Amino acid sequence: MNEEHKNRIIDQLTRLYVAEDGRYLVQLKSGKYSTRKAGFNERADGRKFDVPRLGREHIVNHVQGKRSIGVFATKDNKSKFMTFDLDFENDWNMVKWIGYRIIFTLVECGVPEEHIHVSFSGNKGIHIDLLFDNLIDVPTLKRFREHVLQIADIDTDIHSKIEFRPAQQGVKIPLCRHLKTGNWCTFRDPFDIDRELNDEYVLQIEPMDADLFMENVIGRINDEYELEPVESNEPIEPIKPVEPLNDREIIEQSKQYKPNPIESHGVGVDREITVKTYLKYWNDGFPTKGTRHNITFVIANMWREHFNYDESTVMEMMVEWIQRQPQSSMNTPMAEAVEDTKNIVRDVFKNRYSFLKERTHISFSVTELRTILTATNSKGKALTPKQKTLLFALLGHSKRHGDGIFYMTYDQMTEATEIKKREHLMNAITEFESVGLIHIHQRNKRAEGTHKHEANRYEITFPEQQKTAECVHNTNDGIILTNYDSESFRLSIKSLFQITELRSILPRRQFQTFCG
């Protein structure tokens, strides 16, 4: 490799992977990694030494095989790349099999083939990289990773062998020598992982447009599948880190907003908080001075309890919310109000208050069930049995968790209906709205000032049923159930309708499905 060619490779690796120079990894001969933080550091014996920032000389040693380097996300938790780190010891066929499933799923999700890059880890696995021309927040990339693994239908017990980078851990960049095995970490053909690519490959890489990725990939996924928060034991740094409170400070802060009912405004933490109340204060802000703490507390808890968002998401959205409230509506400076908001969010997640009184017994009327059984799609054809079961589940969920407007995750829909593909769920919901069975109040709405999307919101809008002479009505007014899954749907049908009516309103095969 001549000097000019080597310099071009060094410049390209730096351009593609390095966004943070104050912290980096150096691989040791044992194969393990040492984290280096720029500045004066102190050894165990008390001696101090200076660690330089990650610079060109490090990348020179990297490509020459002298010292392998790894990189991290930025201090504010953003990255110009994301990596699926596959690590299956002594099972190269498993590495390739899982690798291909992830690669083809990325393509299915809208990632262009030319922006999927694979490299050999040097030991027993591969890295699948997406590279961007601008920084993207790491929580968004991590949620995308979880979505890809779910769509790829990879067993959860394998997830631990497919690590996400960069998070709190860094990742080794390609085109170096693994210091323990001596193998070179070369790029591979994404569609023929056994085939090694030469060094010219890296020079041809152009990073993906970050804005287009957010719009065409993340945006479409949120629209079709509703990308959801990820539960993980791995800590995620908040976008705006704040110092934790000690116990005394938490107690003092909590006195300002726990649990003092705001009866004059129809909100109290001692009784049920409705979704409509939450929406009112989220959209309009707090009504008068002196209500800021209570309203902030209620909204933050609703994001957590009703919409199931994680703490970092709620923190970011609530800070953005308080910052758009007029200073004239507050007695305190904005900077102080922001810190109060952060403290409230932390308390909400620490103590996990519950205001929503979940209904354990749900009543379904004969009219509601007849509407489901006789519902048709936009082409006038009867809904399928699974679509009718989904409509029943949506109705049940709205009765249990909402006062009209409600949110139901796709996982909850799958559990109730056994419809596994989110695309089928989304298409069914769109069809329901087109014929007036439900109303989608919000879908794929991005929270102001962020890349995050708020939860989809639905409302059941069954039309009034016309009672005709042909119908043979059951004398019961309805049925009370504790669940709204497919088995409960069948039970309610058999309990409330006579066989003669079911024969008249159901297609023959559906009659056999529900009554067989």
Side-chain angles (χ1 to χ4, degrees):
M1 181 188 304
N2 62 46
E3 196 67 22
E4 180 182 357
H5 186 69
K6 181 181 70 175
N7 287 335
R8 290 174 61 202
I9 290 176
I10 292 168
D11 292 341
Q12 179 73 328
L13 287 175
T14 303
R15 172 196 177 208
L16 296 175
Y17 289 95
V18 180
E20 170 62 54
D21 63 358
R23 186 168 62 135
Y24 52 96
L25 295 172
V26 174
Q27 189 179 35
L28 308 176
K29 290 184 179 180
S30 64
K32 296 182 179 181
Y33 293 89
S34 171
T35 300
R36 305 293 170 88
K37 294 184 179 180
F40 282 100
N41 291 256
E42 187 171 330
R43 301 182 191 275
D45 59 7
R47 289 187 300 165
K48 294 185 177 180
F49 62 98
D50 186 25
V51 173
R53 305 189 79 83
L54 178 62
R56 183 179 179 80
E57 67 279 5
H58 294 93
I59 309 300
V60 170
N61 289 331
H62 177 87
V63 299
Q64 290 179 342
K66 298 178 180 178
R67 178 165 290 183
S68 301
I69 298 297
V71 292
F72 289 90
T74 64
K75 291 180 180 178
D76 59 350
N77 211 26
K78 298 179 185 296
S79 177
K80 60 167 63 177
F81 71 93
M82 69 173 291
T83 297
F84 295 83
D85 184 353
L86 279 65
D87 189 1
F88 295 87
E89 188 171 6
N90 301 321
D91 196 343
W92 181 243
N93 286 331
M94 176 65 80
V95 169
K96 292 190 294 181
W97 182 60
I98 297 296
Y100 288 135
R101 291 177 70 173
I102 291 174
I103 290 165
F104 285 114
T105 301
L106 288 171
V107 174
E108 179 185 341
C109 289
V111 178
E113 294 181 10
E114 64 270 22
H115 290 306
I116 301 172
H117 309 285
V118 176
S119 61
F120 178 48
S121 69
N123 188 12
K124 53 196 174 185
I126 59 172
H127 294 171
I128 302 173
D129 295 341
L130 302 183
L131 309 169
F132 309 104
D133 67 354
N134 209 339
L135 297 173
I136 297 178
D137 66 279
V138 169
T140 294
L141 296 175
K142 188 167 186 177
R143 285 192 288 275
F144 176 62
R145 176 259 191 191
E146 293 299 318
H147 173 78
V148 169
L149 297 188
Q150 184 174 25
I151 296 301
D153 198 23
I154 294 174
D155 294 340
T156 54
D157 59 345
I158 296 179
H159 282 207
S160 62
K161 300 179 182 296
I162 309 171
E163 298 181 331
F164 170 82
R165 299 287 187 268
Q168 297 301 308
Q169 299 85 10
V171 63
K172 181 173 80 277
I173 59 180
L175 297 186
C176 64
R177 187 167 62 89
H178 193 288
L179 295 185
K180 181 179 180 180
T181 66
N183 296 324
W184 282 90
C185 304
T186 56
F187 281 100
R188 299 296 179 95
D189 185 335
F191 301 99
D192 184 4
I193 293 173
D194 285 316
R195 188 167 79 89
E196 185 176 306
L197 303 175
N198 60 36
D199 293 342
E200 288 293 331
Y201 175 82
V202 71
L203 300 177
Q204 300 168 9
I205 294 177
E206 281 300 323
M208 194 176 354
D209 187 305
D211 291 336
L212 289 180
F213 173 77
M214 292 302 303
E215 180 179 351
N216 297 338
V217 179
I218 300 298
R220 182 174 71 85
I221 290 171
N222 273 282
D223 186 20
E224 295 183 5
Y225 301 101
E226 195 168 342
L227 200 60
E228 300 190 15
V230 174
E231 293 185 3
S232 171
N233 293 326
E234 182 181 286
I236 299 177
E237 296 179 9
I239 295 207
K240 296 180 180 178
V242 291
E243 291 296 322
L245 296 174
N246 58 42
D247 290 342
R248 182 179 296 278
E249 290 172 321
I250 290 174
I251 293 171
E252 290 302 314
Q253 286 289 342
S254 67
K255 290 178 181 178
Q256 302 180 57
Y257 54 85
K258 293 193 305 187
N260 301 315
I262 317 170
E263 295 298 342
S264 60
H265 300 291
V267 179
V269 297
D270 60 345
R271 58 186 174 83
E272 182 179 356
I273 303 298
T274 68
V275 179
K276 286 182 178 178
T277 301
Y278 149 77
L279 291 174
K280 178 180 182 297
Y281 291 121
W282 175 254
N283 293 324
D284 300 341
F286 36 86
T288 62
K289 289 184 178 181
T291 62
R292 174 172 59 87
H293 281 94
N294 298 65
I295 297 297
T296 303
F297 176 56
V298 169
I299 295 176
N301 201 69
M302 289 298 295
W303 277 126
R304 179 198 66 79
E305 184 182 15
H306 190 79
F307 293 108
N308 199 32
Y309 279 176
D310 60 32
E311 184 172 353
S312 64
T313 301
V314 175
M315 181 74 76
E316 182 177 358
M317 296 180 72
M318 290 305 300
V319 167
E320 184 278 325
W321 175 80
I322 198 68
Q323 287 174 336
R324 59 181 162 90
Q325 306 307 314
Q327 182 63 62
S328 60
S329 66
M330 294 181 280
N331 293 318
T332 57
M334 180 59 73
E336 184 177 336
V338 169
E339 289 306 309
D340 286 347
T341 299
K342 293 176 181 177
N343 294 335
I344 290 171
V345 171
R346 281 197 291 270
D347 180 77
V348 161
F349 277 86
K350 177 183 178 182
N351 293 295
R352 304 187 71 81
Y353 305 100
S354 180
F355 300 158
L356 295 175
K357 296 178 180 178
E358 184 176 286
R359 301 172 180 90
T360 56
H361 293 80
I362 309 165
S363 63
F364 296 88
S365 71
V366 173
T367 300
E368 289 171 333
L369 292 171
R370 187 180 293 109
T371 297
I372 295 173
L373 292 174
T374 60
T376 58
N377 61 25
S378 56
K379 296 180 180 179
K381 295 182 178 181
L383 297 181
T384 67
K386 285 190 176 181
Q387 288 173 334
K388 291 178 179 180
T389 303
L390 174 59
L391 193 55
F392 174 77
L394 289 167
L395 176 62
H397 202 75
S398 72
K399 289 172 177 284
R400 171 165 287 174
H401 296 286
D403 60 338
I405 301 172
F406 68 99
Y407 165 61
M408 187 176 188
T409 69
Y410 286 109
D411 285 342
Q412 289 169 328
M413 295 179 196
T414 295
E415 184 178 356
T417 65
E418 299 178 357
I419 301 175
K420 295 182 179 180
K421 290 190 176 181
R422 294 194 173 190
E423 182 179 1
H424 293 169
L425 292 168
M426 192 63 202
N427 289 342
I429 291 172
T430 302
E431 191 69 34
F432 296 162
E433 184 180 46
S434 70
V435 294
L437 295 169
I438 70 169
H439 175 60
I440 302 174
H441 279 267
Q442 176 173 292
R443 180 168 63 184
N444 197 32
K445 180 182 177 182
R446 183 172 294 176
E448 186 175 343
T450 75
H451 288 308
K452 300 179 184 297
H453 285 71
E454 297 182 20
N456 289 356
R457 299 170 191 160
Y458 312 109
E459 183 177 11
I460 300 296
T461 54
F462 286 176
E464 288 294 322
Q465 298 301 295
Q466 299 297 321
K467 297 182 179 181
T468 63
E470 291 85 47
C471 291
V472 180
H473 297 292
N474 190 291
T475 55
N476 295 327
D477 292 327
I479 187 171
I480 296 177
L481 301 170
T482 58
N483 207 343
Y484 38 84
D485 56 12
S486 56
E487 188 59 36
S488 299
F489 186 35
R490 293 189 186 94
L491 171 65
S492 64
I493 293 171
K494 291 181 178 181
S495 299
L496 293 182
F497 294 90
Q498 295 180 9
I499 293 296
T500 52
E501 181 173 6
L502 291 175
R503 286 188 185 277
S504 68
I505 64 177
L506 288 174
R508 180 177 58 83
R509 290 186 179 179
Q510 290 196 20
F511 175 80
Q512 294 172 349
T513 298
F514 290 123
C515 303

